[in-house]
Amino acid sequence: MLAVLLAALEGEEDRSLLIELYKKYHEEMEQCAIHILREQHDAEDAVQSAFVQIIRHFEKVRGIPRGELPFWLIAIVKNESLILLRKRKDFVDLERVDDFAWQADCALGYQELVALFRKLPETYRGVLEMKMLLGYSDSEIAARFGISETAVSTRVSRGRALLREIVQKEGFCL
């Protein structure tokens, strides 16, 4: 796959950057996709689609600070994974999304899941997405947001409680 992707780029500098990104982040991107899709072959498709998107917008890659690249790449593969879920009309069971802290008796579709997360205040949404959807550890989230691990745990706990309230209020589950 890498050879095909490299052929799509014109300059040697761009090819070198893509090789670096691929070697450095491919496994992390694949783990994110597996976490969402639960199937190895689907995860590989999502990662491949993500790299196609990266090439399509490669001029933006050059402008992103190196420290922010991992989050940008993970966001792309997450989106590609969710697109695959939507295409196959699969449903995301709340219990499968990083073991939510409550027992849900229903399965939510992708759109409903996105709508639920959008209703959360940004303070909790970003932390919950990284923890529950992307599988980051508390220490990784703390480093990303510049807060303590205790603050991460508190936000996760409060965010989950808010999410639970929203689920009940919106009537998604019995």
Side-chain angles (χ1 to χ4, degrees):
M1 174 184 91
L2 187 56
V4 173
L5 295 171
L6 289 172
L9 294 172
E10 292 180 20
E12 191 57 41
E13 186 178 319
D14 288 347
R15 287 187 192 104
S16 295
L17 178 57
L18 183 68
I19 290 170
E20 177 187 339
L21 293 176
Y22 187 87
K23 286 180 178 178
K24 195 169 185 179
Y25 301 111
H26 177 263
E27 287 183 33
E28 186 177 352
M29 292 169 72
E30 193 169 292
Q31 288 304 312
C32 173
I34 287 172
H35 189 74
I36 294 169
L37 297 165
R38 303 287 186 208
E39 298 289 337
Q40 179 69 34
H41 67 278
D42 289 340
E44 291 169 0
D45 289 346
V47 172
Q48 181 176 352
S49 295
F51 273 100
V52 169
Q53 291 302 320
I54 291 165
I55 289 172
R56 289 183 67 208
H57 304 284
F58 208 73
E59 68 283 349
K60 291 181 184 179
V61 172
R62 286 186 228 108
I64 296 172
R66 293 292 178 153
E68 293 179 23
L69 268 175
F71 300 103
W72 190 79
L73 297 172
I74 292 297
I76 292 172
V77 78
K78 181 180 94 170
N79 288 336
E80 292 300 319
S81 297
L82 294 173
I83 288 168
L84 280 175
L85 276 179
R86 217 179 6 207
K87 282 182 181 176
R88 70 179 195 207
K89 297 184 180 162
D90 200 354
F91 288 93
V92 178
D93 182 349
L94 282 179
E95 291 178 290
R96 282 180 39 196
V97 184
D98 198 17
D99 302 321
F100 273 68
W102 71 91
Q103 297 297 316
D105 292 330
C106 66
L108 292 181
Y110 166 74
Q111 296 296 337
E112 290 87 4
L113 185 62
V114 170
L116 287 175
F117 271 82
R118 281 190 183 144
K119 292 181 183 208
L120 291 170
E122 183 58 38
T123 301
Y124 304 120
R125 184 180 342 149
V127 170
L128 278 179
E129 284 177 348
M130 289 184 75
K131 179 76 173 176
M132 300 171 82
L133 299 176
L134 300 176
Y136 282 89
S137 69
D138 287 0
S139 61
E140 292 170 319
I141 297 168
R144 170 68 173 129
F145 285 101
I147 58 177
S148 69
E149 288 184 47
T150 304
V152 170
S153 296
T154 301
R155 289 182 186 187
V156 167
S157 177
R158 290 178 182 168
R160 283 180 170 164
L162 275 172
L163 199 53
R164 226 180 275 118
E165 288 176 21
I166 293 168
V167 166
Q168 291 170 350
K169 180 181 169 188
E170 298 291 325
F172 283 108
C173 295
L174 301 173

